[in-house]
Amino acid sequence: MLDALIAQGYQLDNRRDRMGSADVIGKLLRRGLDTHGVEIDVPRLYRWLGLGLGPHSYCPLGRTDQSEISAWLDEHPDLYKALFEFGVSQHLDAENAHAACWHVQKQLYQAREPLDAELWYLSLADGTIHDDWRRILLEKAFSSAESRSGINTAIELLETWRAVHPGDAQWVDGFLQRPYPPSADVQEHNQFEIEHRRSVDEELLQKIEFFRKTLPGFETESAHAGALEAVGNAYLASSYEAEGETPRERLLNLLNQNDEWVEQALHGLRQCLRRKDLPSAQDILDLHAKQRCYTLAKPCLAAMALRQDEDPVMALTLPDNVLEAVLAFQLTNDHGRTHSGSRSYSTFDPR
């Protein structure tokens, strides 16, 4: 599947869509790495990793998928080196070497550099005839040495290089003076990161404010339908926002890590099956025949899943009309597959 997506020229959008495309790609990549990552050739593996990036090399994958991919690369430093070197080899003639290097780094998912990074970068710099790339590699060697051993060690590293490679003396002197402002391409990428982060932060603030206003209504039957649906999706792991391995972890991620909000959300789910406006099974089937569904579908299925999680013995002790409605919701919604691949979010066994 990964190879087929590459062959079609597939690329994720920078914003996670409602179909969960980023989640699908993230899971495929994690499985591909775990199963075949050390066996396949480096160019193929590099192309696989590129599937997780959108335009401008931004990664729209979920936090869990990004961290798992990064951790896998951390555990395979030799492959990290081979992937970086292959990536550089694909961009040696790039007009903007800094932008190309930035792309290669993004394709490595912020994985940790190998322990011998500065010496490795120096060896790569020593082996290239491309001035722009040599200097980028020297910058990376400097940054790596600075982060590991301090600024004095990093300066000494470049001064040693300067003595052995007098042709780079002017560049080394200029680099150590750290001119400001940075180059136009660096500013462009920095501006994109700033604007995207601002957009993400604004969305997060809007979501927090939305739940701040709507969650108090979960104490009564006047719960906001959209908020209930979002909570139900998170509990069932059936939406693109549902990050986490357990229902509680997913609710915490949805609700700003606020335990009090999670308890309000769970209370609201429990109330769903007692709502006076709960549709009948026939109403649910009739609306499904029109290719539509009730907003209460996911909250009610989540409510049944919650009952089963909390007390399996008593989960089905509900009026027949409620059980029939939940069964109708179950049959008219796609709940056969899991978000994480490890747990079914089917709500109950109708037997």
Side-chain angles (χ1 to χ4, degrees), residues 13-33:
D13 188 69
N14 275 347
R15 305 183 71 83
R16 302 179 73 196
D17 61 60
R18 295 284 174 179
M19 298 299 293
S21 303
D23 291 326
V24 174
I25 296 297
K27 302 303 177 291
L28 280 173
L29 279 175
R30 287 167 60 182
R31 183 168 181 177
L33 292 177

Side-chain angles (χ1 to χ4, degrees), residues 57-169:
S57 304
Y58 176 75
C59 181
L61 301 186
R63 290 187 299 271
T64 300
D65 291 331
Q66 289 191 51
S67 63
E68 290 288 336
I69 295 170
S70 177
W72 189 91
L73 290 168
D74 289 345
E75 295 170 2
H76 299 85
D78 289 340
L79 273 176
Y80 178 102
K81 290 180 179 179
L83 288 163
F84 178 84
E85 292 176 23
F86 175 78
V88 171
S89 73
Q90 301 303 293
H91 298 282
L92 289 176
D93 296 326
E95 291 185 10
N96 190 330
H98 277 93
C101 186
W102 187 79
H103 172 79
V104 173
Q105 289 293 140
K106 286 290 186 179
Q107 203 145 329
L108 294 175
Y109 294 83
Q110 288 76 53
R112 290 195 301 267
E113 294 177 328
L115 294 177
D116 61 344
E118 53 263 42
L119 296 178
W120 168 55
Y121 287 134
L122 287 178
S123 69
L124 294 180
D126 202 28
T128 183
I129 60 173
H130 297 79
D131 289 344
D132 288 344
W133 277 106
R134 184 173 67 258
R135 291 162 184 172
I136 288 171
L137 292 167
L138 289 175
E139 290 177 15
K140 295 186 70 62
F142 179 90
S143 297
S144 179
E146 182 180 18
S147 63
R148 294 177 191 277
S149 306
I151 186 64
N152 291 333
T153 299
I155 292 173
E156 183 179 346
L157 179 147
L158 280 190
E159 288 178 340
T160 300
W161 177 275
R162 183 183 189 279
V164 177
H165 301 83
D168 284 328

Side-chain angles (χ1 to χ4, degrees), residues 218-234:
F218 277 39
E219 297 294 329
T220 67
E221 288 190 8
S222 63
H224 188 286
L228 267 177
E229 186 174 37
V231 168
N233 279 327

Side-chain angles (χ1 to χ4, degrees), residues 1-11 25 29 33 40-53 82-84 86-87 89-91 103 107-109:
M1 291 183 72
L2 291 165
D3 289 337
L5 288 168
I6 292 167
Q8 292 179 358
Y10 180 82
Q11 185 179 44
I25 296 297
L29 279 175
L33 292 177
I40 65 174
D41 60 71
V42 168
R44 187 180 179 193
L45 181 58
Y46 185 84
R47 290 191 291 271
W48 282 10
L49 292 170
L51 284 171
L53 302 182
L83 288 163
F84 178 84
F86 175 78
S89 73
Q90 301 303 293
H91 298 282
H103 172 79
Q107 203 145 329
L108 294 175
Y109 294 83

